[in-house]
Structure formats: C-alpha cells, structure tokens
C-alpha cells in the first residue's frame, strides 16, 4: 500500500496538482451546514449581485408549492453571449432527500464566480463555455426534508 501511495503522490506532484487555492470571495458562504431553499435563494441573489458581469439569474418556473426555480447563467459576455458557446448544465436535489447536492451545486457556482479573473484555468472556462446552475430541482421536497419526519420510505 505504501508503494501505491508513493506513486500517487509522485504523480500528483509531477502534474503540479494541489488543493484548491484560496481566493477571496465577495460572498462568503459557510459550507458547514445545509440550507433551506429560501436560504439557497438568498445566496444565489447575493452571488448574482456580487458578480453581475458574469452571472445572470433567471426564474425558469415555480415548484408545485410555488417556490421560484432559479437558474444562474455564468458566462463571460465579453467573449460572446452564453447562447453562442458550448454549455454545461449542473443541477442538484432531484429528490427531496438528496439535499447535499444543492450545496454541491452552490459551491461550484460560488467557487467559479470568485475564481473568475484570479484563476487562469477557470477564467478560460468562462471565456469559452457557459454554465447553467440549478441548485434544486425539488425545493418543495428539500424543505419537507427539513420539517417533516423522515424515514427510509419517505422521499
């Protein structure tokens, strides 16, 4: 096992790989907890307000219980409109009890926006691609996960 660990460490070092660099953000989000949908919504609004040059929020509909469904469109418009570039759709929280995926999508959006202009690779991605982030496909189920008794048979 030690030999395998040494090989992996050597390959990572040779490739110049390291952990994520710390980049100061205009929006500091504590990722030490899960958020109710209204809180995720607040974070999306704050990110869009902090990075208006690369983030556009669009409401694409409402949930069955009337919660707005927000998509954050992330793109560098100086290199072309988002509709003119190859794109990646990232969503989470398909099922109500899969709440951790909402935070994973929020984290991806947060890190990508704060890295723009600071990290050459991630800046290049936004120069050449568009990203569409939907933090929760199921905000109703997400909120029910927080408020209702859950067991292995609940959704």
């Amino acid at each position: 096992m030690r030999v395998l660990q040494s090989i992996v460490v050597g390959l990572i070092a040779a490739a110049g790989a390291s952990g994520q660099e710390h980049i100061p953000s205009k929006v500091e989000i504590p990722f030490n907890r899960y958020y109710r949908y209204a809180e995720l919504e607040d974070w999306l609004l704050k990110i869009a307000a902090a990075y208006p040059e690369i983030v556009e929020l669009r409401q694409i509909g409402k949930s069955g219980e009337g919660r707005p469904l927000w998509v954050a469109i992330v793109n560098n418009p100086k290199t072309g409109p988002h509709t003119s570039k190859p794109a990646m759709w990232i969503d989470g929280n398909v099922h109500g009890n899969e709440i951790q995926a909402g935070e994973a999508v929020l984290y991806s959006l947060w890190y990508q926006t704060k890295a723009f202009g600071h990290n050459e690779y991630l800046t290049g991605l936004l120069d050449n691609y568009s990203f569409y982030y939907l933090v929760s496909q199921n905000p109703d189920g997400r909120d029910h996960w927080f408020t209702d008794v859950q067991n292995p048979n609940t959704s």
Side-chain angles (χ1 to χ4, degrees), residues 22-148:
H22 174 72
I23 300 169
S25 178
K26 296 176 186 176
V27 179
E28 288 298 336
I29 302 174
F31 284 99
N32 61 352
R33 58 174 292 227
Y34 296 120
Y35 293 102
R36 302 269 317 245
Y37 187 70
E39 294 170 303
L40 289 179
E41 217 178 347
D42 287 343
W43 288 124
L44 289 173
L45 294 168
K46 288 175 183 175
I47 289 171
Y51 300 97
E53 67 281 2
I54 59 170
V55 178
E56 175 189 345
L57 271 186
R58 285 195 188 171
Q59 184 178 337
I60 61 168
K62 289 190 176 195
S63 70
E65 295 179 6
R67 291 174 180 88
L69 298 172
W70 293 104
V71 169
I73 302 169
V74 184
N75 168 58
N76 181 3
K78 292 179 182 174
T79 58
H82 68 93
T83 55
S84 70
K85 300 175 185 177
M88 182 171 197
W89 176 272
I90 303 171
D91 61 36
N93 197 202
V94 177
H95 302 105
N97 62 350
E98 298 171 348
I99 63 161
Q100 67 280 7
E103 274 69 21
V105 175
L106 180 65
Y107 183 88
S108 299
L109 168 65
W110 172 76
Y111 196 82
Q112 188 177 44
T113 55
K114 75 177 191 160
F116 182 74
H118 299 282
N119 177 294
E120 184 180 334
Y121 177 76
L122 293 175
T123 299
L125 281 177
L126 287 184
D127 287 344
N128 297 294
Y129 300 92
S130 299
F131 292 82
Y132 300 86
Y133 292 96
L134 176 68
V135 294
S136 178
Q137 287 188 36
N138 188 353
D140 301 337
R142 180 185 186 87
D143 276 0
H144 286 289
W145 184 87
F146 281 96
T147 59
D148 301 333

